[in-house]
Amino acid sequence: MTEDTAAERDTRVRAPLTAAEVLEWLERTASAVREGELTAEELIELLGQLRQASTACANASDWTLLAAREAGASLRQLAPVFGKGYVRAPAARLEKLHREVLTAEQFLELMRRRAEDA
C-alpha cells in the first residue's frame, strides 16, 4: 500500500467530523462570544448552519447503520455504538429506516432526491 493509498484509507474510514473537533470549535467560538466578536445575527447564522449539519450527520449515521448491516454487522456488534448494552436501539432504528428504504443505496438515493427538492 502506497502512502497516498494509506492516507486515502485513513480519510475514508474516519468520520468527517469528530466530537473533539466540535469541542475545539465550540471553545474558540465561545471565546469569540465572550470577547464580543460575534453578533446575535452571526450566532443565528451559525445556529442555522449547525442545525443543517446536525441533520446531515444524522443522515450519515443512518446510512452507515444500513451499510454496516449489509456488510454483515450484527445487532450485538452495533448495540455499543448506540450507548446501549442491548440490541433494541439499533433494531428500532433499522425498523424505522426500513419503512422508507431497504438498502444503504436506496437511502443515499432518497437523500439525493431530498437535496434536489430543497
Side-chain angles (χ1 to χ4, degrees):
M1 183 181 289
T2 68
E3 281 187 38
D4 288 340
T5 306
E8 288 172 10
R9 175 158 172 74
D10 288 345
T11 302
R12 213 177 52 230
V13 297
R14 180 186 170 278
L17 183 65
T18 66
E21 290 166 336
V22 171
L23 180 58
E24 180 183 328
W25 173 87
L26 187 55
E27 293 287 353
R28 286 193 321 269
T29 305
S31 177
V33 168
R34 282 190 299 274
E35 298 297 320
E37 297 171 5
L38 291 172
T39 66
E41 292 79 18
E42 290 170 320
L43 289 167
I44 292 168
E45 183 179 332
L46 278 173
L47 177 61
Q49 292 170 7
L50 288 168
R51 302 280 301 167
Q52 289 175 338
S54 176
T55 298
C57 284
N59 289 337
S61 174
D62 285 346
W63 177 87
T64 306
L65 172 61
L66 288 165
R69 281 294 280 170
E70 290 171 23
S74 72
L75 292 174
R76 286 191 186 284
Q77 290 172 304
L78 293 166
V81 176
F82 282 75
K84 310 283 186 220
Y86 50 91
V87 299
R88 286 190 310 207
R93 189 68 198 143
L94 282 166
E95 183 178 326
K96 184 173 181 181
L97 289 168
H98 285 160
R99 290 184 198 133
E100 288 190 275
V101 298
L102 294 176
T103 67
E105 189 57 38
Q106 288 175 340
F107 186 84
L108 191 55
E109 182 56 35
L110 178 65
M111 292 300 97
R112 288 181 190 123
R113 283 196 311 266
R114 288 180 180 168
E116 289 172 4
D117 293 341

